[in-house]
Amino acid sequence: MTVPPGPVLSSITNAIEDKGALYLVLLDPDRLKPAENVRLAEISAGAGVDVLLVGGSLSLAPRCSETIAAIKRVVDIPVVIFPGNVAFVAPEADAILFLSLVSGRNPQFLIGEHVIGAPILKAAGVEPIPTAYMLVEGGRTTSVEFMSATRAIPRNKPDIAMAHALAGQYLGMRIAFFDGGSGADAPVPEEIVAAVAGYVDIPVMVGGGIRTPEAAAKIVGAGAKLLVTGDVVERTRDAGLVKEMADAVHGR
Ligand code: 1GP
């Protein structure tokens, strides 16, 4: 029996068909207070962002649920958890990226957190979106790399990236997410994005170190269907820039 995609994944798939590529903004409850993230959510939704991600690497403050509940009261675009670990599970979210850190060899982040989290998600009714998560060297040691005790894929090894994404697809994952980590010096190379996008059948998602509409357009031009920014929106809080980023992703 094939498990059908849930409503959020279906809406994302349909929106990709419609728009070509989608723009996702990441809000981190550890970095900003709930009210500040709500403001960024409003700016994002008003500027054409397609999906909000909420999460990060640590969850030092137990604010994920509170932040998501507050965001859900003011925006109607999907709110999806981007978890660093099982502590991020929040029943208020529409869905969660059910990430397996396939670029690493740490069983905790390949399957361990998932076994703890799966029954919690089922009880909470949060849709899991099975996602192959791959770190790519971004020029500095990222929080994810340190917290997961894994190594990133070298920037000059598209063949390694391709094999990981295909393995994720063959394991049934629905998205191949390549991340340079928040604040990466440089985004995931276009060569990697193009090589993977031409090789696998699942949508390629890219994040980490994307700061300009031009950089976003290049990554989408290389074949990314889902593009994530966090840091630049958080730092600038500039609705005009968010709109320019959204337009670049949507090819306008
Ligand atoms: C990090 O891909 C996200 O996991 C976002 O990265 O904060 O650098 O935009 P930035």
Side-chain angles (χ1 to χ4, degrees), residues 26 31 82 133 177 179 181-184 207-210 228-232:
L26 170 64
R31 293 202 205 171
F82 174 51
Y133 184 64
F177 184 177
D179 197 350
S182 189
I210 302 167
V228 186
T229 69
D231 197 48
V232 72

Side-chain angles (χ1 to χ4, degrees), residues 7 19 21 37 56 66 70 79 96 100 109 113 117 119 134 140 143 157 162 171 178 181 203 212 228 251:
K19 299 184 178 181
N37 271 326
E66 188 187 344
V79 179
I96 183 168
S100 185
F109 295 100
E113 295 285 323
M134 290 150 283
R140 59 173 80 177
S143 302
K157 300 286 184 191
M162 291 160 71
L171 283 165
F178 287 90
T212 63
V228 186

Side-chain angles (χ1 to χ4, degrees), residues 60-189:
L60 295 169
R63 288 208 288 227
C64 210
S65 276
E66 188 187 344
T67 299
I68 292 173
I71 290 172
K72 289 289 298 173
R73 284 195 284 272
V74 297
V75 302
D76 56 11
I77 56 177
V79 179
V80 178
I81 302 168
F82 174 51
N85 56 54
V86 75
F88 286 78
V89 172
E92 296 84 358
D94 296 306
I96 183 168
L97 295 181
F98 202 62
L99 303 169
S100 185
L101 179 49
V102 300
S103 61
R105 300 295 180 268
N106 180 343
Q108 181 190 353
F109 295 100
L110 284 164
I111 184 64
E113 295 285 323
H114 314 66
V115 173
I116 300 167
I120 303 173
L121 291 174
K122 189 173 174 73
V126 177
E127 175 186 335
I129 301 177
T131 302
Y133 184 64
M134 290 150 283
L135 288 177
V136 176
E137 282 177 350
R140 59 173 80 177
T141 303
T142 62
S143 302
V144 183
E145 221 173 322
F146 183 81
M147 293 304 295
S148 65
T150 64
R151 294 177 65 191
I153 296 172
R155 295 179 66 75
N156 61 346
K157 300 286 184 191
D159 52 343
I160 292 180
M162 291 160 71
H164 278 79
L166 189 63
Q169 176 185 325
Y170 285 176
L171 283 165
M173 295 166 192
R174 308 294 192 123
I175 292 172
F177 184 177
F178 287 90
D179 197 350
S182 189
D185 289 341
V188 174

Side-chain angles (χ1 to χ4, degrees), residues 23-29 31-32 37 40 44 49 51-57 80-83 177 179 182 227-231 233-234:
Y23 181 32
L24 299 83
V25 163
L26 170 64
L27 306 173
D28 187 340
R31 293 202 205 171
L32 296 180
N37 271 326
L40 288 185
S44 299
V49 170
V51 175
L52 291 170
L53 296 180
V54 178
S57 300
V80 178
I81 302 168
F82 174 51
F177 184 177
D179 197 350
S182 189
L227 185 132
V228 186
T229 69
D231 197 48
V233 176
E234 197 178 279

